[in-house]
């Protein structure tokens, strides 16, 4: 598998977490969002929206390009079920998916690069906009996770919810968010960061990192 991604992109970080958790080898292909490589024709053929991550998979010679981190989670879960990132019961699976979607569709799109660039062009203070949605989204996540959290965001094993949490807190700090306001989320982040597979997926450990 090849992962077209960018070290600081939160959706890319989510997929790296899933791949490293499952112990799946992959080739890291950097796509710089700073120099605009996501808009190059070659990349647009893989992701017409011009987004990372894109996972290239080769199923017996049939090459496919999967975009959207949660759709990639689904593929990895079905294709490599041995180390699951979802619990067993249908209700628990729904709850984990809901936590992941709170981040995926309820927070990240509001601070995506193209969203912020467009807001800026309209004269909106894009940093205030981003901070608002990050803070309100994390507040909702803290509340929604509380009844079912354990050592991790859902129960006592690492799930898709954690794959979304870590990059979102990383992004929140980038945008100056006050993550200390969310003690449950930061407690779980500390636990996650102790895991060796998480260390390998972190933005600062990637070959294109500029830290
Ligand atoms: N919902 C998508 C989001 C993909 C996405 O928004 N990627 C961002 C980086 S995190 C991107 O490529 N942005 C480039 C741009 O906006 O120009 C996912 O989960 O993969």
């Amino acid at each position: 598998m090849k992962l077209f991604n960018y070290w600081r992109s939160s959706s890319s970080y989510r997929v790296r977490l899933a791949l490293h958790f499952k112990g799946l080898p992959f080739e890291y292909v950097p796509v710089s969002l700073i120099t605009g490589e996501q808009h190059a024709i070659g990349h647009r053929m893989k992701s017409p929206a011009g987004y990372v991550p894109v996972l290239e998979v080769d199923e017996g010679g049939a090459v496919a390009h999967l975009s959207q981190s949660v759709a990639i989670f689904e593929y990895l879960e079905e294709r490599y079920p041995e180390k699951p990132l979802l619990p067993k019961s249908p209700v628990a699976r729904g709850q984990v998916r809901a936590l992941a979607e709170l981040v995926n569709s309820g927070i990240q799109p509001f601070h995506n690069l193209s969203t912020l660039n467009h807001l800026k062009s309209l004269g909106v203070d894009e940093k205030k906009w981003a901070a608002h949605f990050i803070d309100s989204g994390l507040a909702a996540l803290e509340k929604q996770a509380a009844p079912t959290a354990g050592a991790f965001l859902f129960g006592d094993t690492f799930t898709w919810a954690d794959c979304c949490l870590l990059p979102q807190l990383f992004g929140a700090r980038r945008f100056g968010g006050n993550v200390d306001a969310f003690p449950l989320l930061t407690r779980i982040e500390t636990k996650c960061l102790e895991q060796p597979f998480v260390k390998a997926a972190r933005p600062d450990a990637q070959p294109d990192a500029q830290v």
Side-chain angles (χ1 to χ4, degrees), residues 3-4 33 41 59 64 75 87 98 101 104-105 111 119 125 127 139 141 148 151 191 202:
L3 183 65
F4 296 85
L33 300 188
I41 291 174
E59 295 280 359
Y75 166 79
E101 280 304 333
N104 179 49
S105 55
H111 63 78
L119 287 166
D125 183 336
K127 290 197 180 90
L141 187 65
T148 48
K191 169 80 179 168
R202 283 177 63 150

Side-chain angles (χ1 to χ4, degrees), residues 13-14 16-17 21 151-153 157-159 162-171 173 179-180 184-206:
Y13 184 8
R14 292 177 198 161
R16 291 196 302 267
L17 284 165
F21 175 86
F152 293 96
L153 197 56
T157 56
F158 192 85
T159 67
D162 303 289
C163 289
C164 290
L165 172 69
L166 294 177
Q168 192 53 61
L169 291 178
F170 172 79
R173 290 193 184 89
V179 299
D180 294 337
L184 174 68
L185 303 184
T186 49
R187 188 229 337 132
I188 289 161
E189 179 190 38
T190 303
K191 169 80 179 168
C192 291
L193 292 174
E194 290 165 4
Q195 314 300 314
F197 71 89
V198 170
K199 291 192 173 112
R202 283 177 63 150
D204 55 5
Q206 306 314 309

Side-chain angles (χ1 to χ4, degrees), residues 9-11 14 38 50-53 68-69 104 108 112-114:
S9 136
S10 64
S11 309
R14 292 177 198 161
Q38 73 273 32
Y51 287 161
V52 290
Q68 297 291 338
S69 60
N104 179 49
Q108 186 273 337
N112 192 15
L113 180 63
S114 48

Side-chain angles (χ1 to χ4, degrees), residues 102-103 106-107 131-142 182 185:
L102 194 45
V103 173
I107 308 179
H132 167 77
F133 286 106
I134 291 170
D135 282 350
S136 58
L138 289 178
L141 187 65
E142 172 103 359
F182 308 112
L185 303 184

Side-chain angles (χ1 to χ4, degrees), residues 34-55:
I34 295 301
T35 61
E37 286 176 356
Q38 73 273 32
H39 303 302
I41 291 174
H43 188 72
R44 289 264 187 186
M45 284 169 71
K46 301 178 196 83
S47 162
Y51 287 161
V52 290
V54 173
L55 185 69

